[in-house]
Amino acid sequence: MSRELRLGVNIDHVATIRNARGGGHPDPVHAAKMAEKAGADGVTAHLREDRRHISDSDIARLMEAIELPLNLEIAATNEMLATALLHKPHAACIVPEKREERTTEGGLDVAGGKATLAPIIGRLKDAGIRVSLFVEPDARQLDAAAELAADIVELHTGRYCDTVAATRDAELRRIIRAAQHAHAAGLECHAGHGLTFDTVGPVAAIGEVVELNIGHFLIGEAIFSGLDSAICRMRALMDQARAMTGAQQSA
Ligand code: PXP
């Protein structure tokens, strides 16, 4: 189990605001550089098929401008595979995508989609791109990810974040069990979706999770406190929760 917990900042919604007016402001690349200075360990961007936020040129500019590793979220399509192979980000996170959805709803059906996913994963890995699969915290999906030799699974925390307080503990336990299962299967374990200052602590405390990817809340919070301050506070909450796990393990 790792003491290290990285923060990947998802900058999609900086582009959402930019695109509302069609100009160049606010620039997601500028946000990525600010995230870098504020203590992020990585930048995440989702190039959606409908290009509703991040654009192809944003990806090209991010690859040029940032030192931090880029985690490029893509759907499992030939177009997105070609884009990833063109830009060669540090990692590609394969997510399910539906045009009509507001955000990524649910995890990828890895178990049911092995035939489609296997060649895509193979091409990405051959190009030296780490492959992550965004899945529900479900052992069947994790076993399928391990069978396909994915490097990473990112556990979908949406249900845990969105549920009412009475069922949140049960959702958290699912994530804990899944993180342990992923780790035992040799998969690097990340988590994300819907995390806020209020929900991040218990997920950050899971020793098997080594990276959290957080976007919407941080960009929203930046309106009130600034991006720098929002990222610093998130980082501090993650570190605090992780330090408690470390103290419990060494006690
Ligand atoms: N991880 C993945 C795979 C995602 O698709 C998203 C949303 O784009 C996130 C993390 C971040 O979710 P949120 O914007 O709710 O923090």
Short mmCIF file of all heavy atoms in Angstrom, two decimals, residues 118-153:
data_model
loop_
_atom_site.label_atom_id
_atom_site.label_comp_id
_atom_site.label_asym_id
_atom_site.label_seq_id
_atom_site.Cartn_x
_atom_site.Cartn_y
_atom_site.Cartn_z
N ALA A 118 -9.84 -4.80 -26.09
CA ALA A 118 -8.51 -5.45 -26.15
C ALA A 118 -7.59 -4.81 -27.19
O ALA A 118 -6.44 -4.45 -26.86
CB ALA A 118 -8.66 -6.95 -26.37
N PRO A 119 -8.04 -4.63 -28.46
CA PRO A 119 -7.10 -4.05 -29.44
C PRO A 119 -6.75 -2.59 -29.14
O PRO A 119 -5.62 -2.16 -29.38
CB PRO A 119 -7.85 -4.16 -30.77
CG PRO A 119 -9.27 -4.44 -30.43
CD PRO A 119 -9.31 -5.05 -29.08
N ILE A 120 -7.70 -1.86 -28.57
CA ILE A 120 -7.43 -0.45 -28.25
C ILE A 120 -6.39 -0.37 -27.14
O ILE A 120 -5.41 0.38 -27.21
CB ILE A 120 -8.74 0.28 -27.85
CG1 ILE A 120 -9.69 0.31 -29.06
CG2 ILE A 120 -8.47 1.68 -27.32
CD1 ILE A 120 -11.03 0.95 -28.81
N ILE A 121 -6.57 -1.19 -26.12
CA ILE A 121 -5.61 -1.21 -25.00
C ILE A 121 -4.23 -1.62 -25.52
O ILE A 121 -3.21 -1.01 -25.17
CB ILE A 121 -6.11 -2.17 -23.89
CG1 ILE A 121 -7.38 -1.61 -23.25
CG2 ILE A 121 -5.02 -2.42 -22.84
CD1 ILE A 121 -8.07 -2.54 -22.26
N GLY A 122 -4.21 -2.62 -26.38
CA GLY A 122 -2.94 -3.09 -26.94
C GLY A 122 -2.21 -1.99 -27.69
O GLY A 122 -1.01 -1.78 -27.50
N ARG A 123 -2.93 -1.23 -28.55
CA ARG A 123 -2.30 -0.16 -29.35
C ARG A 123 -1.79 0.95 -28.43
O ARG A 123 -0.71 1.49 -28.66
CB ARG A 123 -3.32 0.43 -30.34
CG ARG A 123 -3.83 -0.52 -31.40
CD ARG A 123 -2.91 -0.66 -32.59
NE ARG A 123 -2.51 0.58 -33.23
CZ ARG A 123 -3.23 1.25 -34.13
NH1 ARG A 123 -4.39 0.79 -34.51
NH2 ARG A 123 -2.76 2.36 -34.68
N LEU A 124 -2.56 1.29 -27.41
CA LEU A 124 -2.13 2.36 -26.50
C LEU A 124 -0.86 1.93 -25.75
O LEU A 124 0.10 2.68 -25.65
CB LEU A 124 -3.25 2.70 -25.50
CG LEU A 124 -4.49 3.39 -26.08
CD1 LEU A 124 -5.63 3.38 -25.06
CD2 LEU A 124 -4.18 4.83 -26.50
N LYS A 125 -0.89 0.70 -25.26
CA LYS A 125 0.27 0.22 -24.49
C LYS A 125 1.51 0.11 -25.38
O LYS A 125 2.62 0.45 -24.96
CB LYS A 125 -0.06 -1.12 -23.82
CG LYS A 125 -1.02 -0.95 -22.65
CD LYS A 125 -1.27 -2.23 -21.90
CE LYS A 125 -0.05 -2.72 -21.18
NZ LYS A 125 -0.36 -3.60 -20.03
N ASP A 126 1.32 -0.33 -26.61
CA ASP A 126 2.46 -0.43 -27.54
C ASP A 126 3.09 0.94 -27.78
O ASP A 126 4.28 1.04 -28.06
CB ASP A 126 2.01 -1.01 -28.90
CG ASP A 126 1.73 -2.50 -28.80
OD1 ASP A 126 2.08 -3.11 -27.77
OD2 ASP A 126 1.14 -3.06 -29.75
N ALA A 127 2.25 1.98 -27.69
CA ALA A 127 2.76 3.34 -27.90
C ALA A 127 3.34 3.93 -26.62
O ALA A 127 3.72 5.11 -26.59
CB ALA A 127 1.63 4.23 -28.43
N GLY A 128 3.38 3.15 -25.56
CA GLY A 128 3.97 3.64 -24.31
C GLY A 128 3.02 4.48 -23.47
O GLY A 128 3.44 5.20 -22.56
N ILE A 129 1.73 4.41 -23.78
CA ILE A 129 0.73 5.18 -23.03
C ILE A 129 0.14 4.27 -21.94
O ILE A 129 -0.28 3.14 -22.25
CB ILE A 129 -0.40 5.67 -23.98
CG1 ILE A 129 0.20 6.55 -25.08
CG2 ILE A 129 -1.49 6.41 -23.21
CD1 ILE A 129 -0.78 6.85 -26.23
N ARG A 130 0.14 4.73 -20.72
CA ARG A 130 -0.45 3.92 -19.65
C ARG A 130 -1.97 3.88 -19.85
O ARG A 130 -2.59 4.90 -20.17
CB ARG A 130 -0.14 4.52 -18.27
CG ARG A 130 1.34 4.62 -17.99
CD ARG A 130 1.60 4.88 -16.53
NE ARG A 130 1.46 3.68 -15.76
CZ ARG A 130 1.01 3.62 -14.52
NH1 ARG A 130 0.64 4.72 -13.90
NH2 ARG A 130 0.93 2.48 -13.87
N VAL A 131 -2.55 2.73 -19.61
CA VAL A 131 -4.00 2.59 -19.87
C VAL A 131 -4.77 2.44 -18.57
O VAL A 131 -4.47 1.58 -17.73
CB VAL A 131 -4.28 1.37 -20.78
CG1 VAL A 131 -5.79 1.20 -20.97
CG2 VAL A 131 -3.60 1.53 -22.12
N SER A 132 -5.76 3.31 -18.45
CA SER A 132 -6.63 3.31 -17.28
C SER A 132 -8.06 3.04 -17.75
O SER A 132 -8.47 3.51 -18.81
CB SER A 132 -6.52 4.71 -16.65
OG SER A 132 -7.45 4.87 -15.61
N LEU A 133 -8.81 2.27 -16.97
CA LEU A 133 -10.21 2.01 -17.31
C LEU A 133 -11.08 2.54 -16.18
O LEU A 133 -10.84 2.24 -15.01
CB LEU A 133 -10.44 0.50 -17.50
CG LEU A 133 -9.56 -0.19 -18.57
CD1 LEU A 133 -9.86 -1.70 -18.62
CD2 LEU A 133 -9.76 0.42 -19.94
N PHE A 134 -12.08 3.33 -16.54
CA PHE A 134 -12.96 3.97 -15.55
C PHE A 134 -14.12 3.03 -15.28
O PHE A 134 -14.97 2.80 -16.16
CB PHE A 134 -13.46 5.29 -16.12
CG PHE A 134 -14.23 6.14 -15.17
CD1 PHE A 134 -13.78 6.40 -13.89
CD2 PHE A 134 -15.42 6.75 -15.58
CE1 PHE A 134 -14.48 7.22 -13.02
CE2 PHE A 134 -16.13 7.59 -14.72
CZ PHE A 134 -15.66 7.82 -13.44
N VAL A 135 -14.16 2.44 -14.09
CA VAL A 135 -15.13 1.38 -13.82
C VAL A 135 -15.89 1.61 -12.51
O VAL A 135 -15.42 2.32 -11.62
CB VAL A 135 -14.44 -0.02 -13.73
CG1 VAL A 135 -13.87 -0.43 -15.07
CG2 VAL A 135 -13.36 -0.04 -12.65
N GLU A 136 -17.05 0.98 -12.43
CA GLU A 136 -17.77 0.94 -11.16
C GLU A 136 -16.97 0.07 -10.18
O GLU A 136 -16.24 -0.83 -10.62
CB GLU A 136 -19.16 0.31 -11.37
CG GLU A 136 -20.15 1.20 -12.09
CD GLU A 136 -20.51 2.45 -11.31
OE1 GLU A 136 -20.57 2.42 -10.06
OE2 GLU A 136 -20.74 3.48 -11.96
N PRO A 137 -17.11 0.32 -8.89
CA PRO A 137 -16.38 -0.52 -7.92
C PRO A 137 -17.00 -1.91 -7.82
O PRO A 137 -17.74 -2.22 -6.90
CB PRO A 137 -16.50 0.26 -6.60
CG PRO A 137 -17.57 1.27 -6.81
CD PRO A 137 -17.81 1.45 -8.27
N ASP A 138 -16.70 -2.73 -8.80
CA ASP A 138 -17.37 -4.01 -8.99
C ASP A 138 -16.30 -5.05 -9.38
O ASP A 138 -15.59 -4.87 -10.38
CB ASP A 138 -18.41 -3.80 -10.10
CG ASP A 138 -19.03 -5.08 -10.63
OD1 ASP A 138 -18.56 -6.17 -10.29
OD2 ASP A 138 -19.99 -4.96 -11.41
N ALA A 139 -16.19 -6.12 -8.59
CA ALA A 139 -15.12 -7.10 -8.77
C ALA A 139 -15.08 -7.68 -10.18
O ALA A 139 -14.01 -7.93 -10.74
CB ALA A 139 -15.27 -8.23 -7.74
N ARG A 140 -16.27 -7.87 -10.77
CA ARG A 140 -16.32 -8.47 -12.12
C ARG A 140 -15.62 -7.56 -13.14
O ARG A 140 -14.87 -8.01 -14.00
CB ARG A 140 -17.79 -8.65 -12.48
CG ARG A 140 -18.03 -9.66 -13.56
CD ARG A 140 -19.52 -9.94 -13.73
NE ARG A 140 -19.84 -9.88 -15.14
CZ ARG A 140 -20.47 -8.90 -15.74
NH1 ARG A 140 -20.92 -7.87 -15.07
NH2 ARG A 140 -20.71 -8.96 -17.04
N GLN A 141 -15.85 -6.27 -13.01
CA GLN A 141 -15.22 -5.32 -13.94
C GLN A 141 -13.71 -5.24 -13.69
O GLN A 141 -12.91 -5.11 -14.62
CB GLN A 141 -15.85 -3.92 -13.79
CG GLN A 141 -17.34 -3.87 -14.07
CD GLN A 141 -17.68 -4.24 -15.53
OE1 GLN A 141 -16.81 -4.29 -16.40
NE2 GLN A 141 -18.95 -4.52 -15.78
N LEU A 142 -13.32 -5.35 -12.43
CA LEU A 142 -11.89 -5.27 -12.09
C LEU A 142 -11.15 -6.50 -12.62
O LEU A 142 -10.06 -6.39 -13.17
CB LEU A 142 -11.72 -5.15 -10.57
CG LEU A 142 -12.38 -3.92 -9.95
CD1 LEU A 142 -12.37 -4.01 -8.43
CD2 LEU A 142 -11.68 -2.65 -10.40
N ASP A 143 -11.77 -7.67 -12.48
CA ASP A 143 -11.14 -8.89 -12.99
C ASP A 143 -10.98 -8.80 -14.51
O ASP A 143 -9.96 -9.21 -15.06
CB ASP A 143 -11.98 -10.12 -12.62
CG ASP A 143 -11.91 -10.40 -11.11
OD1 ASP A 143 -10.97 -9.90 -10.46
OD2 ASP A 143 -12.82 -11.09 -10.60
N ALA A 144 -11.99 -8.23 -15.17
CA ALA A 144 -11.90 -8.09 -16.63
C ALA A 144 -10.79 -7.11 -17.00
O ALA A 144 -10.05 -7.33 -17.97
CB ALA A 144 -13.25 -7.62 -17.18
N ALA A 145 -10.64 -6.04 -16.22
CA ALA A 145 -9.57 -5.06 -16.49
C ALA A 145 -8.20 -5.73 -16.34
O ALA A 145 -7.30 -5.49 -17.15
CB ALA A 145 -9.70 -3.88 -15.53
N ALA A 146 -8.07 -6.56 -15.32
CA ALA A 146 -6.79 -7.27 -15.11
C ALA A 146 -6.53 -8.25 -16.26
O ALA A 146 -5.42 -8.34 -16.76
CB ALA A 146 -6.81 -8.00 -13.77
N GLU A 147 -7.58 -8.92 -16.71
CA GLU A 147 -7.43 -9.86 -17.83
C GLU A 147 -6.96 -9.16 -19.09
O GLU A 147 -6.21 -9.71 -19.88
CB GLU A 147 -8.80 -10.49 -18.15
CG GLU A 147 -8.99 -11.87 -17.59
CD GLU A 147 -10.39 -12.36 -17.94
OE1 GLU A 147 -10.72 -12.45 -19.13
OE2 GLU A 147 -11.16 -12.61 -16.99
N LEU A 148 -7.43 -7.92 -19.27
CA LEU A 148 -7.05 -7.16 -20.47
C LEU A 148 -5.70 -6.46 -20.29
O LEU A 148 -5.28 -5.70 -21.16
CB LEU A 148 -8.13 -6.13 -20.81
CG LEU A 148 -9.46 -6.69 -21.31
CD1 LEU A 148 -10.43 -5.56 -21.61
CD2 LEU A 148 -9.24 -7.51 -22.58
N ALA A 149 -5.06 -6.69 -19.13
CA ALA A 149 -3.74 -6.10 -18.85
C ALA A 149 -3.74 -4.58 -18.82
O ALA A 149 -2.77 -3.94 -19.23
CB ALA A 149 -2.70 -6.64 -19.84
N ALA A 150 -4.86 -4.00 -18.37
CA ALA A 150 -4.86 -2.55 -18.13
C ALA A 150 -3.84 -2.26 -17.03
O ALA A 150 -3.57 -3.12 -16.19
CB ALA A 150 -6.25 -2.10 -17.70
N ASP A 151 -3.27 -1.05 -17.06
CA ASP A 151 -2.31 -0.69 -16.01
C ASP A 151 -3.05 -0.21 -14.76
O ASP A 151 -2.59 -0.42 -13.63
CB ASP A 151 -1.41 0.46 -16.49
CG ASP A 151 -0.63 0.08 -17.74
OD1 ASP A 151 0.25 -0.78 -17.63
OD2 ASP A 151 -0.95 0.62 -18.83
N ILE A 152 -4.16 0.48 -15.01
CA ILE A 152 -4.84 1.23 -13.94
C ILE A 152 -6.35 1.00 -14.03
O ILE A 152 -6.89 0.89 -15.13
CB ILE A 152 -4.60 2.75 -14.13
CG1 ILE A 152 -3.11 3.07 -14.19
CG2 ILE A 152 -5.31 3.58 -13.06
CD1 ILE A 152 -2.79 4.41 -14.84
N VAL A 153 -7.02 1.00 -12.88
CA VAL A 153 -8.48 1.17 -12.89
C VAL A 153 -8.78 2.44 -12.11
O VAL A 153 -8.16 2.70 -11.07
CB VAL A 153 -9.25 -0.01 -12.28
CG1 VAL A 153 -9.33 -1.17 -13.25
CG2 VAL A 153 -8.68 -0.44 -10.94
#
